Amino acid sequence: MAELLKIRSEAEEFLKEYFLRNSQAEENRQKENQAATRIQSWFRACKVRAYLSHLHKKAIIIQKIWRGFTARARFRQMVKAAYFIMKMNFYEEMAVRIQRRWRGFFVRRYIHNFYARKSYLEGLSRKNELVRRELDEFEELQKRERDCLEMIKEQTAKVYQAHRLHHLLSTKQCPGVFNSPFRPFPHETELLLRQVKYQAPTRLAPRGRACLLGVPDSTAPSFPGSLRSPQIKTTRICCSSRPVLPPIASKKQQSLIREPGEVWEQRVHCPDLTLRLQTSYTHLEEAQNQLRQHESVILHNDTLGAGSMFHHLSHSSNSFPQPAYTKSFR
């Protein structure tokens, strides 16, 4: 019995030790597996990185060669285009020079002769000088004529004024207005009044504003033998002994403006009697009384019905006298 118990105890210890050793071996195996896996992954990574770097270097070499080739081809094309453009510009410049020379020669030879144009311009300048000189002379002549006309107008106005103011001439008994004793010598108007003879006017006319200002009016009296005013040009109408014929009858034209004769006839025409003259002064009171009677009749006959009231109104309304309005009522 004791040996059996001892064997059982030994067997249990063996199982425990076996289990412990197996667990340690499993842990060591996993550690070794992990270490081997890490070593393999690092090696494989180094191998892949080396291969990728090799591929990257080869790709860079390929790209460098291709880009250089394309750039050189593009540059050659650009050089060709630039050379072509430069050559065309040079040719165009040469063509422009040739055209310029030829056109200048053609124009100078067949279109614009230099010497003929020079002689034409010289003749034109001489003619311009002559024309300017003649225009200056003509302007001077016109200026002298205007000055002469102004002087004649002033003299004529002075003579006309002297004719009008001849009654202010000085006499031996009474000095005139323009011959003041305080002056050393008479006024020029006084000298002009002495030279002008008095002449009665041929016709009389009302004095206007122009006469008050000393300027002869178109209706002012004219003096025979004297010059008229230069400001107003008048025409003389000779009266003949022939009878004045009536105007030819023509159809009256309608217009917005009426004839002066028609307006004058309307002014002097006696107007017709108006409403105030045709009615009595008690017409308003009579109409009010009749209206009150009419309203009382309507109120009295309200009970008779609408038909009788309408009949009564139709007969009673005709009894009011209507005021006579005329066309001349204003």
Side-chain angles (χ1 to χ4, degrees), residues 207-251:
R207 298 177 64 185
R209 183 179 180 183
C211 296
L212 295 176
L213 296 175
V215 180
D217 195 3
S218 60
T219 60
S222 62
F223 298 91
S226 64
L227 297 175
R228 292 189 58 81
S229 174
Q231 285 85 357
I232 305 297
K233 293 183 180 180
T234 58
T235 56
R236 298 181 180 178
I237 302 175
C238 299
C239 298
S240 61
S241 60
R242 296 180 181 179
V244 180
L245 299 177
I248 300 175
S250 61
K251 187 177 180 181

Side-chain angles (χ1 to χ4, degrees), residues 4 36-37 43 55-56 74 95 99 105 129 134 140 158 160 180 206 211 219 225 242 272 288 305 310:
L4 182 61
T37 303
F43 178 76
L55 291 179
H56 184 65
R74 193 182 304 110
Q99 291 176 1
F105 169 76
E129 292 294 333
E134 292 177 358
E140 186 67 23
K158 288 181 181 180
Y160 182 81
S180 177
C211 296
T219 60
R242 296 180 181 179
D272 296 333
Q288 290 179 355
F310 177 76

